[in-house]
């Protein structure tokens, strides 16, 4: 059994709760020192009493910069340590002393490097980071054989120096991989990814010396039959080819791909595709065609910032399962005459489109589809990168 406590008035729960506590989840979203100190006081009390022997889940998501005692490594049964959205700058060195730790979640923090002690956590399976560069030396034997049980390695930053292939090649069980890679290291990383045939989810971004998206050269993924989610951010030098794509893709996201050839005839043949997101500048052509019977299982389609796109043709019986469609900042696009024939469409979202486009859509579809009109968004929101995060990547890549 687990105890889930929500502290609103009492800074520290009674002793009888601490002594049998298996799980602690905080829902305290207050800013300032008080909630951070309260978490620190609670952890200190658990560590100093026998209650800490039972704690297995510690989830502090959303607590602003909680105070983590240096003795947190004494939580010997801790399996899940969640620090997402805490904006912490660092974590205690003693995290490496947690012998049962399986999940460490550092997404949306200010942590840019992990303590060297992390290499001692042999049980770690899921590591979520925030574009973190792992401090390692491949000359040290213990590094090569560390963290080999990882199934999730998310938001690792690979700099422009030689990537740690000795260690990466030992990660045979990876199922979820997210990398931001300097273009100088991309070739070796792409070859390594070819051997990860157990991957289920892959997110790959390529950056240049200035921390900006760059060319993204990746080999064929047709042997990755388990891969069902793929996110590629960077310029793709060749047109998409069906025989090089994972055959069982369910979710595909392309951003800043700068494809000159219409990708829809190829993507429409992916029988399992449920969600397709073509973010900013993924296609640079003027005409796009979803052929007859294409996209048989597609339910969500997003077209963002296809600035040259004028004509979008929807073939007979194409996208028969489409439920949600979002068109954003495609200012040259004319309304497809076949749009209202998408009988399963439930919601159509238009963001920063021409008034004439909005008027025509409302006039022909308002009775059958929920139409949402949004004002213009910030330019960086079209592809997920912000100016501050671009500077962050540049500084990290220069230092590594």
């Amino acid at each position: 059994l687990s105890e889930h406590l929500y502290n609103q008035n009492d800074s520290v729960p009674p002793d009888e709760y601490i002594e049998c506590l298996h799980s602690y989840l905080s829902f305290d979203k207050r800013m300032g020192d008080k909630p951070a100190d309260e978490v620190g006081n609670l952890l200190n009390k658990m560590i100093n009493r026998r209650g800490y022997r039972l704690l297995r889940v510690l989830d502090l998501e959303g607590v602003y910069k909680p105070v983590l005692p240096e003795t947190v490594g004494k939580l010997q049964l801790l399996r899940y340590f969640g620090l997402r959205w805490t904006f912490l700058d660092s974590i205690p060195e003693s995290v490496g002393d947690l012998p049962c730790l399986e999940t460490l979640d550092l997404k949306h923090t200010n942590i840019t490097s992990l303590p060297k002690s992390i290499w001692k956590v042999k049980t770690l399976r899921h590591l979520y980071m925030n574009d973190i560069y792992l401090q390692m030396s491949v000359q040290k034997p213990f590094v090569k054989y560390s963290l080999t049980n990882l199934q999730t390695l998310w938001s690792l930053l690979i700099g422009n120096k030689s990537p740690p292939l000795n260690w990466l090649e030992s990660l045979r069980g990876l199922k979820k991989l997210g990398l931001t890679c300097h273009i100088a290291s991309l070739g070796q990383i792409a070859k390594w990814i070819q051997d990860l045939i157990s991957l289920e989810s892959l997110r790959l971004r390529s950056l240049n010396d200035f921390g900006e998206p760059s060319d993204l050269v990746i080999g064929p993924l047709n042997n990755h039959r388990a891969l069902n989610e793929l996110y590629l951010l960077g310029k793709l030098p060749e047109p998409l080819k069906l025989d090089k794509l994972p055959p069982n893709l369910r979710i595909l996201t392309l951003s800043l791909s700068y494809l000159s050839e219409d990708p829809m005839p190829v993507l429409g043949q992916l029988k399992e595709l449920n969600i397709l997101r073509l973010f900013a500048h993924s296609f640079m052509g003027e005409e796009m065609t979803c052929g007859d019977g294409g996209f048989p299982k597609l339910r969500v389609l997003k077209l963002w910032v296809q600035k040259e796109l004028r004509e979008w043709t929807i073939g007979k019986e194409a996208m028969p399962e489409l439920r949600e469609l979002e068109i954003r900042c495609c200012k040259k696009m004319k309304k497809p005459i076949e749009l209202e024939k998408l009988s399963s469409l439930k919601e159509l979202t238009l963001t920063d489109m021409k008034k004439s486009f909005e008027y025509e859509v409302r006039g022909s579809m308002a009775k059958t589809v929920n139409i949402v009109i949004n004002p213009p968004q910030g330019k960086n929101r079209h592809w997920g990168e912000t100016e501050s995060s671009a500077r962050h990547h540049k500084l990290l890549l220069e230092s590594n």
Side-chain angles (χ1 to χ4, degrees), residues 154 176 200-203 226-231 248-253 277:
W154 199 254
K176 189 172 183 179
E200 298 175 2
S201 177
L202 172 63
R203 175 185 173 115
L227 188 59
N228 58 66
E229 184 171 358
L230 179 63
Y231 189 132
N248 298 312
L249 266 186
R250 291 190 297 107
I251 302 174
L252 175 63
T253 305
R277 297 179 289 215

Side-chain angles (χ1 to χ4, degrees), residues 352-362 373-375:
D352 198 11
M353 296 292 289
K354 291 190 303 184
K355 294 296 181 183
S356 58
F357 189 98
E358 295 175 359
Y359 180 80
E360 191 174 355
V361 166
R362 276 177 165 164
I373 308 294
N374 290 326

Side-chain angles (χ1 to χ4, degrees), residues 99-344:
C100 298
L101 188 64
E102 296 180 358
T103 299
L104 179 60
D105 189 348
L106 304 175
K107 286 291 292 180
H108 304 295
T109 65
N110 298 322
I111 298 169
T112 57
S113 64
L114 295 179
K116 294 180 181 180
S117 64
I118 199 70
W119 299 108
K120 298 188 295 182
V121 188
K122 297 179 180 180
T123 55
L124 196 61
R125 285 172 171 77
H126 308 285
L127 180 56
Y128 296 91
M129 301 176 287
N130 203 51
D131 285 332
I132 288 179
Y133 174 78
L134 289 182
Q135 299 290 339
M136 66 181 74
S137 172
V138 293
Q139 283 75 35
K140 294 182 179 180
F142 75 89
V143 170
K144 180 178 180 180
Y145 302 105
S146 297
L147 305 183
T148 53
N149 291 317
L150 278 180
Q151 297 176 15
T152 301
L153 180 60
W154 199 254
S155 235
L156 173 67
L157 182 66
I158 304 289
N160 58 0
K161 296 181 181 179
S162 298
L165 288 177
N166 284 346
W167 173 63
L168 291 174
E169 289 173 354
S170 71
L171 305 180
R172 297 296 183 182
L174 280 179
K175 295 182 178 180
K176 189 172 183 179
L177 176 65
L179 294 178
T180 296
C181 187
H182 189 280
I183 188 171
S185 301
L186 184 60
Q188 297 178 72
I189 293 298
K191 290 180 181 179
W192 168 62
I193 290 175
Q194 296 301 305
D195 296 328
L196 298 177
I197 59 175
S198 296
L199 274 183
E200 298 175 2
S201 177
L202 172 63
R203 175 185 173 115
L204 186 60
R205 298 190 292 180
S206 176
L207 300 180
N208 60 20
D209 290 331
F210 301 99
E212 300 168 342
S214 183
D215 291 353
L216 184 58
V217 181
I218 184 170
L221 297 172
N222 53 303
N223 289 329
H224 292 62
R225 303 192 66 83
L227 188 59
N228 58 66
E229 184 171 358
L230 179 63
Y231 189 132
L232 300 177
L233 195 156
K235 184 177 181 181
L236 299 177
E238 298 179 356
L240 296 180
K241 295 181 180 180
L242 186 64
D243 60 358
K244 293 186 177 181
L245 291 171
N248 298 312
L249 266 186
R250 291 190 297 107
I251 302 174
L252 175 63
T253 305
L254 300 178
S255 184
L256 299 175
S257 306
Y258 290 96
L259 291 168
S260 58
E261 187 174 307
D262 182 7
M264 292 308 209
V266 171
L267 298 180
Q269 299 179 62
L270 293 171
K271 303 298 184 183
E272 303 300 322
L273 195 63
N274 296 148
I275 299 174
L276 175 60
R277 297 179 289 215
L278 298 182
F279 287 163
H281 311 301
S282 53
F283 174 53
M284 303 306 293
E286 296 184 359
E287 298 181 3
M288 179 180 285
T289 300
C290 296
D292 295 350
F295 300 100
K297 292 187 178 180
L298 193 68
R299 298 175 67 87
V300 178
L301 175 61
K302 295 179 184 288
L303 302 175
W304 289 14
V305 199
Q306 313 305 322
K307 288 194 172 182
E308 302 304 318
L309 184 59
R310 297 177 181 270
E311 303 284 344
W312 180 24
T313 302
I314 303 173
K316 295 180 180 179
E317 299 182 358
M319 301 181 286
E321 301 295 327
L322 192 67
R323 299 289 192 274
E324 299 177 24
L325 172 63
E326 181 179 357
I327 305 175
R328 176 182 294 196
C329 197
C330 300
K331 303 238 176 134
K332 295 182 180 180
M333 183 191 289
K334 301 175 184 177
K335 175 187 167 292
I337 58 175
E338 307 92 344
L339 197 59
E340 53 261 37
K341 295 181 181 180
L342 297 173
S343 57
S344 53

